[in-house]
């Protein structure tokens, strides 16, 4: 318990310090998120992953809180996925390669002995889905960090109830590191998680939740896993369903996530992060109480009903409109409801004789169009001041006589 407090404090301070230090190199390397109004560095995930792995492995190396083979394998898989996300941030890898790499890493860490082959394959898909969907929460300031902190504390409580102390310490370190990042990621954000931090956090949280439900019935395990990751599931289902209904490609980005719709309803960026974090806190609390046996498994149905109601309400928020500066008909600059000026066609109109336009000679053009004569200096062309004639130059150059009163 004492080492957990020390680990959380060290993770918070190191993550806050390292995130501020890595901001300048990220800007120099153009490692920024250009989807926002201003370029935001994506080096926050590097700080979170490094600090979490360092604190967790320090407890294992010193022998204070051993990780164990399963938790160590999970931490290695999360680190590998974080490196893959860093490569995606640097070189803009295609999404399918990132998803495939995440699935391979998940297949290497799932405990098939405790889950069985069928449930193990489903767990691989679940970890891949949550890790990829957690990346979508990083579209707004403070949302991914807030959800990650709440979920990490909940999964850590489940791991502590199963006497997995090494895994619980790693999750406490992750929660503290994300809290330190929120000092820089809260609106207005000066740094973001990026694919590196989002994939690392999502993979570690989903994998740890699978480890804590090892040996339980598949139905109750699925219910607890759903309650622990309600905001992530709601966001990905909302995005895919709304794009499907609007006839848009499912992988085409847009302002259609949960935080975007909450902003359309009038909430501030801070308010949207607080609302998403509060909903996550309630769902995670239900999942933890069901896991330790304080609540029946049917309590998850209330969480599912609330998520369905939120999904139905957020789908009614209009997010797909005309582009900025375009009217309803797609004409640039046209505003509906206002009379528009008639534009004459450039080409010839059928049935009307066109007048022949003769090119005007240089003598017929005004001096402003012709410009300065050849050989004139650039100074005279830039500053159009009346130049003195030769007689005036001679008078100025001659010695001046001054009369005395």
């Amino acid at each position: 318990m004492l080492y957990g407090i020390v680990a959380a404090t060290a993770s918070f301070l190191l993550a806050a310090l390292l995130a501020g230090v890595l901001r300048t190199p990220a800007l120099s390397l153009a490692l920024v998120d250009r989807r926002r109004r201003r370029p935001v560095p994506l080096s926050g995930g590097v700080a979170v992953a490094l600090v979490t792995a360092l604190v967790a492995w320090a407890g294992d190396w010193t022998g204070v809180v051993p990780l164990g083979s399963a938790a160590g394998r999970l931490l290695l898989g999360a680190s590998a996925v974080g490196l893959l996300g860093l490569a995606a941030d640097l070189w803009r890898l295609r999404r399918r390669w990132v998803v495939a790499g995440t699935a391979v890493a998940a297949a290497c860490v799932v405990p098939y002995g405790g889950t069985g082959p069928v449930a193990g394959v489903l767990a691989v898909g679940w970890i891949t889905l949550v890790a990829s969907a957690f990346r979508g929460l990083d579209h707004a300031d403070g949302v991914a960090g807030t959800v990650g902190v709440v979920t990490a504390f909940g999964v850590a409580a489940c791991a502590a109830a199963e006497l997995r102390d090494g895994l619980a310490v790693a999750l406490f370190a992750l929660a503290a590191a994300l809290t330190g990042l929120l000092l820089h990621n809260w609106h207005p954000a000066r740094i973001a998680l990026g694919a590196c931090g989002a994939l690392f956090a999502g993979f570690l949280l989903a994998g740890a939740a699978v480890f804590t439900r090892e040996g339980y019935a598949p139905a109750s395990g699925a219910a607890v896993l759903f309650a622990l990751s309600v905001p992530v599931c709601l966001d990905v289902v909302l995005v895919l369903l709304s794009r499907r209904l609007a006839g848009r490609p499912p992988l085409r980005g847009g302002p259609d996530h949960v935080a975007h719709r909450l902003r359309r309803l009038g909430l501030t960026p801070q308010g949207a992060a607080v609302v998403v974090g509060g909903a996550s806190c309630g769902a995670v609390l239900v999942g933890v109480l069901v896991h330790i046996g304080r609540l029946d498994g049917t309590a998850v149905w209330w969480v599912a009903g609330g998520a369905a109601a939120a999904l139905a309400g957020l789908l009614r928020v209009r997010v797909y409109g005309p582009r900025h500066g375009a009217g309803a008909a797609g004409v640039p600059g046209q505003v509906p409801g206002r009379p528009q000026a008639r534009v004459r066609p450039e080409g010839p109109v059928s049935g009307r004789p066109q007048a022949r336009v003769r090119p005007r000679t240089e003598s017929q053009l005004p001096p402003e169009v012709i410009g300065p004569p050849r050989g004139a200096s650039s100074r005279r062309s830039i500053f159009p001041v009346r130049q003195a004639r030769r007689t005036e130059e001679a008078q100025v150059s001659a010695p001046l006589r001054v009369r005395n009163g």
Side-chain angles (χ1 to χ4, degrees):
M1 184 66 180
L2 180 60
Y3 181 78
I5 298 176
V6 173
T9 305
S11 300
F12 172 77
L13 296 177
L14 289 176
L17 178 61
L18 189 59
V21 171
L22 293 178
R23 186 175 183 273
T24 301
L27 288 174
S28 61
L29 294 174
L31 183 61
V32 294
D33 185 4
R34 303 185 184 277
R35 297 173 300 174
R36 307 176 188 236
R37 294 183 178 179
R38 66 186 189 284
V40 179
L42 295 176
S43 56
V46 179
V48 170
L50 284 178
V51 169
T52 303
L54 178 63
V55 172
W57 284 114
D60 184 73
W61 291 334
T62 57
V64 179
V65 183
L67 283 174
S69 59
R73 190 170 64 250
L74 176 62
L75 193 57
L76 286 177
S79 302
V81 172
L83 289 176
L84 181 62
L86 181 60
D89 289 332
L90 287 172
W91 298 296
R92 301 293 190 270
L93 296 181
R94 293 185 178 273
R95 192 180 297 271
R96 59 173 176 266
W97 297 112
V98 178
V99 173
T102 306
V104 171
C108 296
V109 302
V110 168
Y112 298 98
T115 59
V118 178
V121 172
L122 295 177
V124 170
W126 174 259
I127 295 175
T128 305
L129 176 64
V130 172
S132 302
F134 198 85
R135 182 181 176 184
L137 291 178
D138 195 35
H139 61 274
D141 298 346
V143 175
T146 304
V147 173
V149 169
V150 174
T151 309
F153 275 118
V155 181
C158 296
E162 297 297 324
L163 301 180
R164 295 179 177 268
D165 297 334
L167 185 59
V169 168
L171 292 170
F172 279 129
L174 175 62
L178 289 173
T179 306
L181 179 68
L182 281 176
L183 298 179
H184 306 274
N185 187 240
W186 200 251
H187 183 78
R190 300 186 302 273
I191 201 170
L193 268 176
C196 174
L199 289 176
F200 175 83
F203 189 93
L204 185 58
L205 291 174
V210 170
F211 274 101
T212 56
R213 296 301 299 178
E214 182 182 359
Y216 287 86
S220 62
V224 173
L225 292 180
F226 169 73
L228 293 175
S229 58
V230 163
V232 181
C233 299
L234 175 62
D235 187 74
V236 67
V237 172
L238 175 65
V239 168
L240 293 179
L241 185 58
S242 61
R243 292 176 185 176
R244 176 66 177 177
L245 294 176
R248 296 166 61 94
L251 299 181
R252 180 183 176 183
D256 49 6
H257 292 267
V258 173
H260 293 145
R261 297 172 188 267
L262 292 177
R263 291 293 308 279
R264 290 293 184 96
L265 293 177
L267 294 180
T268 62
Q270 300 90 333
V274 170
V275 168
V276 176
S280 176
C281 183
V284 168
L285 180 61
V286 172
V288 172
L289 293 178
V290 171
H291 176 77
I292 63 179
R294 296 300 180 89
L295 287 179
D296 190 63
T298 57
V300 182
W301 286 105
W302 292 97
V303 177
L311 177 65
L314 291 175
L315 279 175
R316 299 179 62 88
V317 179
R318 183 179 179 182
V319 293
Y320 303 123
R323 296 182 179 179
H324 181 69
V331 180
Q334 182 176 354
V335 181
R338 295 184 180 179
Q340 306 297 326
R342 298 181 60 184
V343 180
R344 295 182 180 180
E346 298 181 358
V349 182
S350 59
R352 294 184 180 180
Q354 301 295 325
R356 298 181 59 184
V357 180
R358 297 181 179 180
R360 302 176 66 179
T361 61
E362 187 172 336
S363 60
Q364 297 176 347
L365 295 176
E368 295 81 2
V369 180
I370 299 176
R374 298 181 181 179
S377 61
S378 59
R379 181 180 181 86
R380 295 183 179 180
S381 62
I382 297 175
F383 301 95
V385 183
R386 185 178 64 88
Q387 306 297 329
R389 299 179 181 177
R390 294 183 180 180
T391 57
E392 296 178 357
E393 293 178 357
Q395 293 177 3
V396 173
S397 61
L400 299 178
R401 296 180 180 179
V402 182
R403 294 183 179 181
N404 296 328

